[in-house]
Amino acid sequence: MTEHSTPPTVAATAETAHPAQPRTDFIRQIVREDIASGRHSAIRTRFPPEPNGYLHIGHAKAICLDFGVAAEFGGLCNLRFDDTNPAKEDPEYVDAIKEDVRWLGFEWSQLRHASDYFEVFYRAAIKLIEDGNAYVCDLSAEQVRQYRGTLTEAGHASPFRDRSVAENLDLFTRMRAGQFPDGSRTLRAKIDMASGNINLRDPALYRIKHVEHQNTGTAWPIYPMYDYAHSLSDAIEGITHSLCTLEFEDHRPLYDWCVAKVDLPSHRQLWEPLLARGLPTAPSKPRQIEFSRLNINYTVMSKRKLVAMVADGLVDGWDDPRMPTLQGLRRRGVTPAALRLLAERVGISKQNSVIDYSVLEGCVREDLDAHAPRRLAVLDPLKLVIDNLDVDHVETIAFPNHPKDESFGTRAVPFSRELWIEREDFMAEPVKGFHRLVPGGEVRLRGVGIVRCTDVVRDGDAIMAVHCTLDPDTRHGLPGADRKVKGTIHWVCAKHAVAAEVRLYDRLFDAADPDDDADGKTYRDHLNPHSRRSVPGWVEPEAAKADAESHFQFERTGYFVTDRRDHTPHNPVFNRTVTLRDTWGKGR
Ligand code: ATP
Ligand code: MG
């Protein structure tokens, strides 16, 4: 794997590529040229997750690229489960991955599994043996390591390297028949033990593993290695551009070697059985192109660590709203459009970088600002009584659902004498520059008119309620409504408001690079203890009524979503997706 030095952090001001303009990253440039030159008439890509965990936001970048490139150039993209490593895989992951890809807004051309091709891989291995390109090796894993050499020293040949084709065929068919114990032999490619690229020093193509596989059961006691299975799977599916992350750059010569030596397009007998199984096949000689991974600060993205966090109960499962998994982000209220916008904004290059978390939040705000209806909610309530309204006064006020988009329509918001306002919108002893409600002062109640504070009810030091009078000439729609006051605050009607649980989330880690173990700490030591708070709040009836997974802007407060699991109209639960403005690190 290629090592890369500490990457620069991309600031929140990353340039937005205009969506209407064709994208010009180096991969799309290559595809464009391949089409222009007639090298390919149709583009085929694939997204190849290993079903050993849930997809995370890094995968979203790969999905947007693989499916996006195919769509932009009139091609097709497959979803392929890279299920060659049976011990770690779980059908729960397979289902979640399919759901997540669709949720992100993409549909695959064909759903495949690397395990669909086990027979092809096997036949191809026989061909490699017959061509003198592979041999069965009896060295132990430890010996293989010793023979391999180092970056500065050539490796040396296995004593089994020059076995005859006949002996290799005999041993390999017996490996396949299950006659040897785990780890006792491997099939290795015969390439170059002195290669400067260690991946080419006779890498293993097959290992013996007597373990049941989710799709093929106990049919196979041998399993192909990643590079071999991946390159041939791409070739089988007729993939033209195999897009993957930079750590595979050093594997590309091996990828190319497998594609060239097996040469599927010229050897129909190797893949023909797939046709009878209803798997249309038109092999290609695919080309691998690498791009940089998505990294985001305050986040860990390794599947191994995410699995551990779930297993050890550091979070509430894969869809904990603080998780960088697509299920977690979804539950938090992040939309597919926001993630697609992020992928576009981050762009595609070979330059490793760490994206600032605020870039993600900016994408979320941008999408939700345009698409989330507005609602009223009060999270830290203080009672406000309008003394000059009758005790039984009730009216409804038409509120626009979106200030910038009339197509959202209006809704009826109940209003009466007693309201809840945010406690922080009142100050008994105002500091300089505070423009909301103060004793004797005026403020506009959103959609209603101007009130003046006439009295403050206390219990000891605690402020229990404020009393006001409403200036009837300033009611919404009347000429006096234009009278200027400095502040406008929101409210909900105490009589009609619905009690809701409001979950306030923050970043899961309190360090920009939770993985940096220079200080002897691991990501586990950097969990942010304040990343989740649950507060009772009051919401207007229209908000409580919403279906699960409805997105709203609570005016002046932030973007919220009804919880996918727990919300019901009788028991409303809202998750804060993101605050209205970027207040991180500003003493919130
Ligand atoms: P692990 O975390 O165990 O290394 P992985 O992230 O490589 O796993 P895969 O299921 O193998 O997970 O990934 C599927 C595809 O998603 C691969 O093509 C991989 O290159 C891509 N991918 C994974 N992580 C990222 C990331 N952070 N940014 C962009 N693409 C990614
Ligand atoms: Mg991987």
Side-chain angles (χ1 to χ4, degrees):
M1 303 268 164
T2 313
E3 287 294 322
H4 296 275
S5 54
T6 309
T9 299
V10 173
T13 50
E15 281 270 290
T16 313
H18 194 281
Q21 282 171 2
R23 294 178 211 168
T24 54
D25 57 71
F26 80 98
I27 291 183
R28 287 171 169 91
Q29 217 44 53
I30 290 172
V31 171
R32 207 166 273 133
E33 282 160 19
D34 284 348
I35 291 174
S37 71
R39 184 166 172 204
H40 297 296
S41 53
I43 293 305
R44 252 185 193 278
T45 59
R46 85 290 168 265
F47 172 63
E50 194 180 342
N52 62 351
Y54 281 64
L55 298 181
H56 54 60
I57 191 167
H59 293 114
K61 174 175 177 176
I63 293 170
C64 289
L65 179 67
D66 293 326
F67 285 90
V69 163
E72 284 157 48
F73 293 94
L76 297 169
C77 181
N78 286 353
L79 173 61
R80 182 202 314 141
F81 289 105
D82 224 319
D83 57 350
T84 52
N85 198 5
K88 283 190 278 172
E89 291 158 5
D90 189 321
E92 176 193 342
Y93 299 142
V94 170
D95 293 340
I97 289 170
K98 289 198 267 189
E99 183 183 343
D100 287 349
V101 171
R102 289 202 166 112
W103 174 74
L104 255 187
F106 299 104
E107 188 59 54
W108 47 89
S109 164
Q110 295 181 42
L111 179 69
R112 297 288 183 96
H113 300 82
S115 59
D116 294 337
Y117 311 137
F118 279 177
E119 184 62 34
V120 183
F121 301 157
Y122 180 71
R123 289 177 178 218
I126 300 276
K127 174 184 186 304
L128 290 176
I129 294 172
E130 287 170 348
D131 294 347
N133 285 322
Y135 61 97
V136 174
C137 179
D138 302 354
L139 292 181
S140 67
E142 182 48 38
Q143 288 168 318
V144 167
R145 246 190 307 280
Q146 286 162 5
Y147 278 73
R148 189 181 292 137
T150 63
L151 282 174
T152 50
E153 266 173 69
H156 35 270
S158 159
F160 306 100
R161 197 171 201 259
D162 293 320
R163 271 179 166 152
S164 68
V165 168
E167 191 185 357
N168 281 319
L169 284 176
D170 173 58
L171 287 171
F172 187 57
T173 42
R174 287 166 61 197
M175 278 169 66
R176 195 262 173 270
Q179 293 181 12
F180 306 121
D182 284 8
S184 58
R185 293 192 157 88
T186 53
L187 181 73
R188 295 176 69 178
K190 198 180 210 174
I191 309 181
D192 178 5
M193 287 309 292
S195 172
N197 183 335
I198 291 185
N199 293 304
L200 294 183
R201 295 186 187 171
D202 291 9
L205 303 178
Y206 266 97
R207 62 198 191 286
I208 301 173
K209 217 170 179 180
H210 294 263
V211 56
E212 193 170 333
H213 185 280
Q214 70 200 44
N215 281 343
T216 57
T218 53
W220 293 89
I222 54 173
Y223 288 96
M225 302 302 287
Y226 178 83
D227 290 303
Y228 179 68
H230 191 82
S231 54
L232 293 192
S233 301
D234 283 348
I236 291 167
E237 291 174 24
I239 301 305
T240 53
H241 301 82
S242 175
L243 313 177
C244 65
T245 36
L246 276 177
E247 71 271 22
F248 294 104
E249 202 165 24
D250 289 351
H251 295 237
R252 193 188 332 135
L254 178 54
Y255 181 101
D256 290 342
W257 185 93
C258 294
V259 167
K261 295 294 180 194
V262 173
D263 189 11
L264 285 170
S266 322
H267 294 87
R268 188 180 173 95
Q269 74 280 9
L270 300 179
W271 48 267
E272 199 155 30
L274 294 174
L275 302 177
R277 288 171 48 206
L279 297 171
T281 304
S284 62
K285 293 223 172 152
R287 168 176 179 189
Q288 173 179 306
I289 308 170
E290 309 84 15
F291 62 95
S292 60
R293 295 176 86 86
L294 175 66
N295 301 300
I296 301 185
N297 61 10
Y298 297 96
T299 306
V300 303
M301 243 185 274
S302 136
K303 258 194 243 169
R304 185 174 57 78
K305 288 174 188 160
L306 297 177
V307 168
M309 280 160 56
V310 172
D312 299 346
L314 302 180
V315 291
D316 287 343
W318 287 102
D319 68 347
D320 184 309
R322 298 165 298 173
M323 285 282 270
T325 53
L326 297 186
Q327 298 265 338
L329 291 161
R330 176 176 180 178
R331 195 164 168 208
R332 173 80 168 258
V334 172
T335 57
L339 292 174
R340 293 193 302 261
L341 180 61
L342 177 74
E344 181 181 320
R345 201 161 277 190
V346 164
I348 296 296
S349 76
K350 279 190 181 283
Q351 182 65 48
N352 268 309
S353 64
V354 178
I355 300 300
D356 197 273
Y357 196 88
S358 61
V359 178
L360 166 63
E361 293 181 327
C363 293
V364 174
R365 287 190 191 100
E366 194 165 319
D367 181 47
L368 291 176
D369 180 42
H371 299 116
R374 275 42 174 177
R375 294 289 183 265
L376 300 175
V378 170
L379 303 192
D380 184 12
L382 172 65
K383 180 69 70 72
L384 181 148
V385 183
I386 302 174
D387 291 324
N388 59 338
L389 288 183
D390 288 344
V391 176
D392 51 4
H393 177 94
V394 176
E395 64 181 286
T396 56
I397 299 177
F399 265 71
N401 288 325
H402 198 292
K404 292 172 251 176
D405 188 342
E406 281 186 11
S407 72
F408 279 73
T410 61
R411 69 189 187 285
V413 175
F415 169 71
S416 67
R417 187 171 187 266
E418 295 196 0
L419 309 177
W420 295 116
I421 63 167
E422 294 286 355
R423 193 160 279 275
E424 66 171 24
D425 283 336
F426 174 77
M427 267 188 139
E429 282 125 35
V431 294
K432 197 160 175 270
F434 183 82
H435 295 309
R436 288 162 280 167
L437 196 59
V438 301
E442 283 188 323
V443 80
R444 185 183 307 279
L445 289 180
R446 180 102 170 78
V448 177
I450 295 170
V451 292
R452 178 182 297 278
C453 175
T454 53
D455 194 16
V456 181
V457 183
R458 294 173 195 263
D459 181 3
D461 280 347
I463 295 172
M464 306 308 289
V466 292
H467 284 256
C468 293
T469 50
L470 170 61
D471 178 349
D473 296 336
T474 63
R475 290 300 307 264
H476 196 73
L478 299 182
D482 290 340
R483 180 155 77 76
K484 292 274 176 286
V485 280
K486 283 216 166 122
T488 299
I489 65 174
H490 68 280
W491 50 271
V492 291
C493 174
K495 194 182 283 179
H496 299 88
V498 182
E501 179 186 343
V502 182
R503 298 174 182 167
L504 303 175
Y505 293 106
D506 212 327
R507 297 171 193 192
L508 184 53
F509 295 98
D510 62 11
D513 182 2
D515 259 338
D516 176 20
D517 40 17
D519 53 1
K521 292 180 168 180
T522 74
Y523 66 99
R524 287 165 182 263
D525 303 308
H526 286 298
L527 286 166
N528 172 8
H530 309 295
S531 60
R532 176 176 55 183
R533 268 188 311 139
S534 175
V535 299
W538 293 105
V539 301
E540 63 164 290
E542 278 300 312
K545 254 191 230 168
D547 292 336
E549 210 173 10
S550 301
H551 301 269
F552 296 111
Q553 185 199 92
F554 287 166
E555 291 198 21
R556 301 182 60 235
T557 304
Y559 294 100
F560 290 78
V561 67
T562 46
D563 189 74
R564 278 184 84 198
R565 280 182 186 279
D566 301 336
H567 170 85
T568 66
H570 298 291
N571 236 329
V573 180
F574 292 86
N575 298 333
R576 183 170 69 196
T577 310
V578 66
T579 52
L580 273 193
R581 275 169 290 277
D582 184 8
T583 50
W584 174 257
K586 291 178 190 142
R588 100 171 97 143

